[in-house]
């Protein structure tokens, strides 16, 4: 996988160079070899207190990350020009937000480039008066700012039958958290008026997939957001620039990106993505439709798969927990494969349908150990073991795997993905 | 000012090109003309639903912002290679976080490039056992994630005597908000032990200024943080990579960047930056030392200076409010220069020593109007008028200007900075 990433990094440098590159070619080529994506290379002074540093705006007025920070989104299993998902490097995430540049990607027709001056949102169907909204219209309306995770319902799909993916970036990296800003759908609904029979809303994207999903009107009115801001600036291109639907706690696919149309109806639209895809095939051969809410889930990010603990001693186990039902209430950690559990510390204030960071001190005695975490949310719902999950939903579905994740620490310190 | 920014942007493109640039020079030069800093240029499809978009990782694994987003930090009044502050474009900020790339800068010896593998924090002085901590040591310790603003105490210093700066980026842009992650000083204090006479702590930076400030031990133990994370990733170079002190609600200069040393003492160190600078000269000629806590403050960012309202009608007044004492309790807005006030909506959940976004609907009838906002915090402290502020502290000081800001809307829709 590393070599795939390297190949892609090289390609990226080529394209970034094509965008930004001017000046002496030899210097450019040499520096490009040294800096990871999103960074610029600078010489390290022997003693930084003896040498004037870079001036303000030496980054051109929009700062970059340090050249020593190298984490990137990655592809699994096979990178290709039409690969359609990339994973957030959860193991290196610090704090509780995902840097916008490392937000996971999942798209079905690639990332379009859309001019916001020409973009419009049409709201029509079972409404009083159909209306078009420009970006300027939407930005002039009352807005809210809320922090929520988005998780692809296919997150962790590699783990149903056997422990497949090596590290937490691939097992759980279709999960990211941002501060979103936009207009509540309820505000738009007041503008257009809803007919008495209105029950569902179709969201449609302006990408090459023309992605469409049906959402219950009740959800749209409760906390559905038409979002143009992410982490303090405009939403990023991969996340739907200039406009996306955010449905807190719902599966990622329903958060329609490049949103251009909302059609209100008395019934769901039964689009391809909610009939042939994004349904849960049960053991009896029938498929559940519209299983939209993401269940409580958590994962330990340190130590996690593919890491090596250098020696026995004191460690701070760290991880992420979340639930589509509401706030995370508690997280427990086990170092013995689920036989005993200890409460973890929650490192930030829990918010509804938002991740929390958790931690738990652990003394590794050098013997084999199996690390697990378990999330319980404010509705009382708790994360199941894999056996409990499979007992209920079987093994036919690829979506909504939220079982407890196990990482085995071997006596040599190596950490691997296992089914405990 | 625009031309200064353009000059700097051009320089930046040169330096970014020097870092990333490879490939055909003509393409590179052409594309560089088209994309702002932090973005890559892509052709806009006539119909994005008819053309496959970009694949995942086409950004090299670390995403960029849209080419249509052009806001940058700016310099005032005179850009030069040794200019030492840059301002956050508050008028275009969406939501409540500052994008890391647009966080204001204020440094005294330039931005050093520091290898985190070699960086250490020494804690010594009136302690039980002096200790050195590597970055790995610090990252292995229990951590917290908290959202706080940082405001330079020189923010708004242009406005003491007359309305000088044209727009909100320059009047109030030495203010930014991030989610910070790191170790509480109280955790480090348990590691080293404090002597009974310990009362102050010196923080020292590894930059060419060797910036030093003294902080009361009580503040350090209450909520002082040794921070390595900002908005989900490593702290940015301009913000102190790999380590900075964060003192929630204290003036920005005390949040020592590139932190390498903490010395515990029984008295303040009376460094240059807390005696000749960062003191408040009173009307009687005496100077107040250690006026560290930032007072309640707010500013309307829309409409604000240098903007033009296209026509009379309904507008959503928007702004930012904050206090170094605790949570923002309420914000009021006036459209008649302070004669009458209306409560504003708070658009996100208030957190201690953190900004909030506020908004307030306003019908502009086309006549001249003077817009103001007023912040009250949970301690009951309220933002003063300029007259009230000057009556108490006079006009000798450059620091800690927190008076109510007035923007005049003329009958042609033009918005200017005024003293009401």
């Amino acid at each position: 996988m590393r070599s795939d990433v390297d190949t892609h990094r090289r390609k990226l440098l080529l394209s970034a160079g094509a965008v930004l590159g001017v000046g002496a070619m030899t210097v450019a080529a040499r520096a490009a070899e040294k800096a990871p994506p999103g960074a610029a290379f600078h010489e390290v002074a022997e003693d930084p207190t003896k040498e004037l540093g870079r001036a303000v705006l030496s980054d051109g007025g929009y700062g970059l990350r340090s050249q020593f920070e190298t984490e990137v989104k990655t592809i699994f299993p096979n990178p290709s020009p039409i690969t359609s998902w990339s994973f957030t490097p959860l193991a290196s995430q610090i704090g509780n937000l995902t840097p916008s540049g490392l937000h996971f990607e999942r798209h079905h027709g690639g990332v379009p480039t859309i001019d916001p001056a020409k973009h419009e949102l049409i709201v029509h169907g079972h409404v009083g008066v159909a209306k078009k909204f420009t970006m300027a219209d939407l930005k002039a309306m009352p807005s809210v700012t809320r922090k929520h995770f988005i998780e692809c319902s296919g997150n962790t799909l590699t783990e149903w039958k056997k422990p497949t993916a090596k590290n937490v970036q691939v097992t759980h990296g279709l999960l990211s958290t941002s501060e979103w800003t936009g207009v509540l759908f309820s505000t738009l609904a007041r503008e257009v008026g809803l007919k008495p029979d209105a029950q569902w809303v179709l969201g449609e994207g302006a990408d090459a997939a023309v992605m469409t999903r049906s959402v219950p009107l009740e959800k749209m009115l409760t906390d559905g957001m038409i979002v143009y801001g992410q982490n303090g600036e405009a939403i990023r291109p991969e996340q739907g620039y200039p406009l996306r639907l955010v449905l807190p706690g719902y599966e990622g696919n329903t958060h329609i990106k490049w949103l251009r149309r909302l059609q209100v109806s008395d019934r769901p639209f039964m689009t391809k993505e909610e009939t042939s895809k994004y349904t849960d095939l049960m053991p009896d051969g029938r498929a559940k439709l519209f299983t939209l809410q993401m269940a409580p889930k958590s994962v330990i990010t340190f130590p996690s798969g593919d890491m090596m603990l250098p020696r026995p001693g004191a460690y701070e186990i760290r991880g992420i927990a979340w639930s589509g039902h509401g706030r995370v209430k508690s997280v427990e950690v086990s170092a013995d494969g689920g036989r005993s559990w200890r409460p973890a510390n929650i490192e930030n204030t829990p918010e509804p349908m938002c991740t929390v960071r958790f931690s738990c001190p652990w003394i590794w005695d050098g013997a084999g150990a199996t690390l697990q975490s378990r999330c319980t949310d404010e509705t009382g719902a708790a994360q199941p073991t894999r056996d409990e999950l499979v007992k209920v939903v079987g093994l036919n579905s690829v979506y909504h795997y939220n079982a407890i994740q196990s990482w085995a620490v071997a006596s040599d310190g190596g950490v691997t993905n296992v089914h405990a």
Side-chain angles (χ1 to χ4, degrees), chain A:
Chain A
M1 205 157 68
R2 172 54 46 192
S3 67
D4 299 339
V5 172
D6 284 344
T7 305
H8 273 263
R9 186 176 303 171
R10 206 166 300 273
K11 280 186 195 156
L12 168 276
L13 287 169
L14 272 159
S15 82
V19 168
L20 295 170
V22 282
M25 214 61 251
T26 46
V27 175
R30 204 166 58 232
E33 288 299 313
K34 288 182 179 173
F41 177 78
H42 304 283
E43 294 292 343
V44 177
E46 192 155 335
D47 178 353
T49 66
K50 296 288 187 288
E51 214 170 280
L52 188 63
R54 282 175 287 128
V56 296
L57 301 202
S58 60
D59 52 17
Y62 191 90
L64 304 167
R65 65 175 174 167
S66 163
Q67 68 204 49
F68 295 102
E69 300 299 316
T70 58
E71 61 269 31
V72 286
K73 294 174 285 182
T74 192
I75 289 171
F76 179 85
N78 294 311
S80 91
I82 55 164
T83 298
S84 62
W85 49 21
S86 70
F87 297 81
T88 292
L90 294 179
S92 55
Q93 187 168 309
I94 301 172
N96 192 39
L97 283 169
T98 308
S100 300
L102 296 174
H103 195 294
F104 83 87
E105 297 172 84
R106 173 74 178 106
H107 27 77
H108 299 245
V111 179
T113 303
I114 294 176
D115 184 345
K118 294 177 185 159
H119 190 74
E120 289 179 331
L121 175 66
I122 299 166
V123 185
H124 69 130
H126 291 225
V127 298
V129 187
K131 284 194 180 171
K132 276 187 189 177
F133 299 90
T134 65
M135 289 303 300
D137 293 338
L138 293 167
K139 288 185 177 178
M141 297 175 80
S143 59
V144 294
T145 292
R146 295 174 182 176
K147 210 163 94 173
H148 293 297
F149 73 84
I150 297 182
E151 183 185 16
C152 178
S153 58
N155 198 24
T156 327
L157 68 77
T158 51
E159 307 306 304
W160 280 104
K161 289 173 187 166
K162 52 184 177 28
T164 303
K166 281 190 182 161
N167 63 43
V168 71
Q169 181 166 16
V170 179
T171 58
H172 290 77
L174 298 177
L175 168 82
S176 296
T177 298
S178 299
E179 186 182 89
W180 304 103
T181 296
V183 180
L184 288 172
F185 176 76
S186 57
T187 304
L188 286 187
R190 276 195 296 273
E191 292 272 323
V192 297
L194 297 174
K195 294 215 164 147
D197 64 351
Q199 296 228 38
W200 288 78
V201 181
L202 181 84
E204 180 185 270
D207 58 331
V210 196
M211 174 59 61
T212 44
R213 287 297 302 267
S214 309
V215 182
L217 177 65
E218 191 187 344
K219 174 66 179 176
M220 291 290 282
L221 290 174
T222 302
D223 56 8
M225 289 170 77
I226 318 299
V227 155
Y228 50 79
Q230 180 186 9
N231 298 336
E233 63 187 344
I235 191 168
R236 289 294 181 88
E238 304 85 23
Q239 297 313 316
Y241 184 92
L243 207 59
R244 104 177 280 177
L245 186 58
V246 166
L247 298 167
Y250 267 30
E251 62 183 14
N253 183 251
T254 61
H255 300 226
I256 301 291
K257 298 189 279 192
W258 313 291
L259 184 72
R260 68 173 186 179
R261 191 165 73 87
L262 291 170
Q263 183 177 351
V264 181
S265 176
D266 59 350
R267 69 198 73 180
F269 290 76
M270 307 307 272
T271 73
K272 180 185 79 178
E273 303 291 344
E274 57 208 19
T275 51
S276 82
K277 300 280 178 189
Y278 295 100
T279 62
D280 298 348
L281 190 56
M282 293 292 105
D284 64 3
R286 292 188 298 175
K288 279 194 184 173
L289 307 180
F290 301 109
T291 52
L292 299 170
Q293 212 169 17
M294 302 305 289
K297 195 165 169 180
S298 68
V299 67
I300 291 170
T301 55
F302 177 84
S304 61
D306 238 8
M307 290 184 182
M308 176 67 75
L309 296 182
R311 67 191 72 81
Y315 288 94
E316 188 81 1
I317 291 173
R318 283 210 169 84
I320 304 173
W322 63 99
S323 170
H325 301 137
R327 288 178 187 82
V328 169
K329 188 179 159 200
S330 62
V331 183
E332 299 153 287
V333 166
S334 174
D336 56 13
R339 280 189 295 281
S340 67
W341 295 90
R342 276 193 300 155
N345 305 312
I346 307 286
E347 297 200 348
N348 60 292
T349 308
E351 294 172 72
M353 288 76 85
C354 187
T355 44
V356 297
R357 297 288 297 183
F358 67 84
S359 59
C360 187
W362 174 54
I363 310 283
W364 180 43
D365 62 7
T370 301
L371 304 180
Q372 299 181 334
S373 63
R374 180 168 68 180
C375 170
T376 302
D377 68 31
E378 62 181 340
T379 72
Q383 193 178 359
T385 65
R386 188 181 155 277
D387 286 351
E388 288 165 350
L389 178 68
V390 169
K391 198 169 172 184
V392 174
V393 300
L395 283 168
N396 291 335
S397 179
V398 294
Y399 302 107
H400 296 282
Y401 182 94
N402 74 318
I404 289 168
Q405 170 71 32
S406 303
W407 304 115
V409 181
S411 55
D412 69 353
V415 187
T416 51
N417 183 5
V418 295
H419 280 176

